[in-house]
Amino acid sequence: MIKISTRVIVFTLFLCVVVGCSNQQNNTYTQETHNISKIEEGEVTSYEDVFVASDVKEDLNGDGEKERIILRISPAPVLISENPKQYGWDDSHIWQLLVEDHEGNTYPLFDDSVQFSGQMYIVSKENNEKAIIFELNGTSLKLIEYRFNTKGYFEKEIMYKNRPIIHKSSI
């Protein structure tokens, strides 16, 4: 009788540990996917004096047709008279990251003020999928990933966001 009771207690403890770990893993997954938001096709705000920083074509949704990826900045930075190939920037500009598909739908991925600079990368992911990584680099650093969902919208995930930058060096 004691042997059976001991086995029942050990089995119950084992079950509690397994179920507890299982729930903990689910909570971790929920926290990781909590930063993902949905971006559907929509209207794009038009600004005056826009500077097109990048305009490239890449198949983001895997349909064999290339989408147009546009990165534009408003107000446009001004050319520096001493160096006509260099631009002068104000403290803050509105940056827009847009995707236009071959059907004429526009997805406004990013439309906000950027305090210093931004960089856009198109990266290859698993299964030949592609994603856009947008890096905001100013008083803080933020990495955002945009990827097309097969249900017909883009997903935005904040991959990294830190506190204010104390020191930054670059070459």
Side-chain angles (χ1 to χ4, degrees), residues 6-71:
T6 306
R7 287 183 183 171
V8 169
I9 290 171
V10 170
F11 179 74
T12 304
L13 287 173
F14 175 76
L15 208 55
C16 289
V17 169
V18 169
V19 170
C21 291
S22 166
N23 285 341
Q24 190 174 18
Q25 288 171 351
N26 287 341
N27 288 341
T28 302
Y29 177 75
T30 304
Q31 289 171 354
E32 288 174 0
T33 59
H34 182 69
N35 276 340
I36 297 176
S37 56
K38 182 176 174 180
I39 301 172
E40 296 181 312
E41 185 270 333
E43 292 292 318
V44 175
T45 305
S46 293
Y47 298 101
E48 291 183 30
D49 195 25
V50 173
F51 171 76
V52 177
S54 183
D55 189 343
V56 295
K57 292 187 176 185
E58 189 63 52
D59 183 9
L60 296 174
N61 59 10
D63 66 354
E65 299 281 340
K66 290 187 176 184
E67 287 71 42
R68 184 176 175 205
I69 302 117
I70 306 160
L71 179 62

Side-chain angles (χ1 to χ4, degrees), residues 119 137 167-171:
Q119 292 186 15
N137 191 344
H167 174 79
K168 175 171 67 175
S169 296
S170 61
I171 297 175

Side-chain angles (χ1 to χ4, degrees), residues 80-123:
I80 297 175
S81 59
E82 298 84 38
N83 186 354
K85 294 182 179 182
Q86 185 176 354
Y87 290 94
W89 297 85
D90 288 332
D91 288 345
S92 179
H93 294 267
I94 301 294
W95 290 58
Q96 290 182 308
L97 179 58
L98 314 168
V99 173
E100 294 177 355
D101 66 16
H102 63 279
E103 296 173 355
N105 298 318
T106 302
Y107 299 85
L109 302 184
F110 185 87
D111 187 351
D112 203 356
S113 178
V114 173
Q115 294 244 317
F116 183 67
S117 72
Q119 292 186 15
M120 177 190 69
Y121 307 90
I122 300 173
V123 298

